[in-house]
Amino acid sequence: MKLITNIYQLLVTGEYDKALCGKEMGAMPYIENAYLVIDEDRIYEYGSMDDLHPIAVDEVIDATGQIVLPMWCDSHTHLVFATTREDEFVDRIKGLSYQEIAARGGGILNSARKLQAMSEDELYEDALERLSQCIKTGTGAIEIKTGYGLTVASELKMLRVIKRLSTAVDIPVKATLLAAHAIPERHKQNREAYIDEIVNEMIPAFTKESLVDFIDIFCETGYFTVAEMDTIVNAGKAHGLKPKVHVNQFTSIGGIQKAIELEALTVDHLEELTEKDIDALKTSNTIPVALPGCSFFLNIPYTPARKIIDAGLSLAVATDYNPGSSPSSSMNFIVSQACINLKMTPAEAIVAATINGAFAMDVAKETGSITKGKKANLIITKPLPSYNAIPYHFGQHQIDKVIVNGEVL
Ligand code: NIG
Ligand code: FE
């Protein structure tokens, strides 16, 4: 047993059965001057220092002046990829758009060519290094998508890498099939053939091996249509996969309405969001997910988070870590961006990056808040004047220690 004493602020306390919505997000559940007991890999109990009774422990960690919170829950990443894409970064600085680069065979297809040529072991080693970095900087649960394979063999290779990652690290790792990320070159003239491959080959084979948790699609002008989302998501659902989908990144084409009809767990991106889209979200339990790192890197509009939260909806934030539109895995930076660019309060941003992120990838039973029985995956910050200082120091995480599965890293 380990005891953390004198915690200045213990954040995101409590047990939740759904993502926090609207005003709830701004009312940070926390305890000032708190203690927390860890038994092996789990939170055993916590409370006010005034109520701390004598307890036999093996180790005491004094957290005077320090803040303790659940590790970040990054519900949307593309962490398994072949190489970075600095050349496209420079092309965009010189004036080309993300879509123009993609039309020249760059973008997702560029990443796919490189990934197809790499061995599973090479991919795994690189991805493990990235994932270890995520954990060191406070990410305690992560979702990882395929989508740079675009063939049966290479999508399978990505899923095997994700499976290996999930057994190599002590944090929850969820796998999402995003074979519908772009139409591969070989099917350019016959996109139905690729949809067919996803529906009739990939989904049955990959779910049979229990390699996938969620089904995703890039529903966007120039990528996949709303009708194709219907086909692919229904095929995934028939094999037990919950939908988490990319919609409204560049255009609003009805993806949100369809995703809601398909009972999607999340709709991600939402940089282009209409009033109609917001009204549709109000009728559902689908969780909106904002990815401000992508807006920052591509210089595109930010998700109107204020409108979403003020409409009483829930919101999660995630990194979208990928080589094309968001090459950073820093959840701390995302929490800063949630405040600076999405105009969320620090309380809303921290809730969006912890408990709401956990619901956005179905790991809230395990992590995302401080409650008895959840995994002891915790961040202990340096001494700070208040939790507002966590996002205030943008680009500089304030971590003193990370506790993963009850062990100080
Ligand atoms: O979420 N929008 C689609 N997919 C990724 C970017 C993929 C890439 O450019 O490699 C995203 O932003
Ligand atoms: Fe993405």
Side-chain angles (χ1 to χ4, degrees):
M1 300 250 255
K2 284 187 187 66
L3 168 66
I4 311 176
T5 57
N6 302 314
I7 302 167
Y8 166 40
Q9 293 178 330
L10 178 63
L11 305 187
V12 203
T13 48
E15 206 178 328
Y16 302 92
D17 54 13
K18 64 181 195 43
L20 275 67
C21 296
K23 285 200 169 60
E24 289 171 347
M25 288 182 67
M28 167 67 73
Y30 77 107
I31 301 175
E32 216 155 84
N33 193 27
Y35 74 92
L36 183 142
V37 180
I38 298 169
D39 184 20
E40 301 202 338
D41 61 332
R42 302 277 153 179
I43 297 171
Y44 181 71
E45 62 173 26
Y46 66 96
S48 161
M49 280 299 284
D50 299 337
D51 301 328
L52 177 59
H53 49 87
I55 180 165
V57 294
D58 313 299
E59 189 185 343
V60 177
I61 299 171
D62 179 42
T64 301
Q66 298 175 284
I67 294 169
V68 175
L69 68 155
M71 287 178 81
W72 307 121
C73 297
D74 193 354
S75 66
H76 181 139
T77 83
H78 309 247
L79 170 136
V80 176
F81 58 81
T83 60
T84 50
R85 306 207 306 252
E86 296 84 355
D87 294 352
E88 296 180 6
F89 173 56
V90 175
D91 286 342
R92 278 194 306 101
I93 294 167
K94 292 184 175 159
L96 285 183
S97 71
Y98 179 84
Q99 292 96 323
E100 283 165 341
I101 291 165
R104 292 168 153 199
I108 296 164
L109 295 183
N110 177 10
S111 277
R113 275 190 299 275
K114 290 180 175 143
L115 185 136
Q116 286 161 4
M118 264 172 94
S119 73
E120 185 188 308
D121 285 342
E122 273 178 294
L123 262 179
Y124 170 73
E125 292 303 330
D126 290 355
L128 183 60
E129 197 171 312
R130 283 178 214 127
L131 182 55
S132 307
Q133 178 64 19
C134 293
I135 297 170
K136 273 187 214 150
T137 51
T139 296
I142 195 166
E143 179 258 17
I144 307 174
K145 300 173 193 297
T146 69
Y148 294 129
L150 309 185
T151 64
V152 178
S154 290
E155 287 290 307
L156 178 62
K157 180 166 67 181
M158 290 190 78
L159 286 172
R160 291 215 165 113
V161 168
I162 299 170
K163 180 60 104 192
R164 285 169 68 182
L165 293 172
S166 75
T167 55
V169 298
D170 280 329
I171 66 166
V173 176
K174 292 280 185 168
T176 299
L177 181 65
L178 176 59
H181 200 190
I183 298 282
E185 214 64 73
R186 68 186 187 284
H187 289 310
K188 270 268 131 71
Q189 304 312 322
N190 183 11
R191 51 193 297 129
E192 290 74 24
Y194 187 51
I195 310 285
D196 222 65
E197 216 170 284
I198 297 172
V199 168
N200 296 316
E201 294 181 53
M202 295 190 199
I203 293 173
F206 303 164
T207 50
K208 196 167 171 211
E209 280 192 54
S210 299
L211 292 170
V212 206
D213 301 296
F214 302 109
I215 183 80
D216 195 350
I217 179 164
F218 187 17
C219 179
E220 184 57 63
T221 308
Y223 291 85
F224 291 88
T225 66
V226 173
E228 287 166 343
M229 172 152 85
D230 189 71
T231 306
I232 287 171
V233 168
N234 273 316
K237 285 178 72 170
H239 285 82
L241 306 180
K242 281 194 195 171
K244 273 171 71 63
V245 294
H246 284 72
V247 287
N248 293 52
Q249 181 175 2
F250 302 112
T251 52
S252 173
I253 57 172
I256 291 184
Q257 287 74 6
K258 178 55 78 178
I260 288 168
E261 184 190 313
L262 293 163
E263 298 177 309
L265 177 63
T266 67
V267 282
D268 303 39
H269 274 287
L270 318 179
E271 289 87 339
E272 296 296 335
L273 200 65
T274 66
E275 293 299 329
K276 266 193 183 162
D277 295 331
I278 292 184
D279 287 342
L281 284 165
K282 284 196 220 168
T283 67
S284 78
N285 292 320
T286 298
I287 303 171
V289 181
L291 308 165
C294 172
S295 300
F296 175 74
F297 192 70
L298 295 185
N299 257 313
I300 62 172
Y302 284 90
T303 302
R306 250 326 0 121
K307 280 192 185 166
I308 294 172
I309 298 170
D310 293 344
L313 295 167
S314 65
L315 184 69
V317 292
T319 61
D320 196 14
Y321 186 24
N322 78 77
S325 70
S326 191
S328 166
S329 63
S330 170
M331 278 299 281
N332 202 100
F333 182 60
I334 295 301
V335 174
S336 294
Q337 282 202 297
C339 297
I340 298 159
N341 304 110
L342 305 184
K343 313 251 185 306
M344 293 163 68
T345 63
E348 290 170 337
I350 292 168
V351 162
T354 54
I355 186 65
N356 282 8
F359 278 106
M361 56 174 149
D362 242 351
V363 295
K365 283 206 171 70
E366 281 292 283
T367 189
S369 71
I370 303 294
T371 198
K372 282 184 194 178
K374 277 198 188 182
K375 256 187 186 307
N377 282 8
L378 310 167
I379 293 172
I380 305 181
T381 71
K382 298 170 189 164
L384 291 173
S386 81
Y387 65 74
N388 292 335
I390 295 173
Y392 168 83
H393 292 283
F394 79 89
Q396 294 175 318
H397 69 69
Q398 299 302 309
I399 297 173
D400 173 38
K401 290 183 189 68
V402 163
I403 297 185
V404 182
N405 251 5
E407 295 297 334
V408 179
L409 201 68

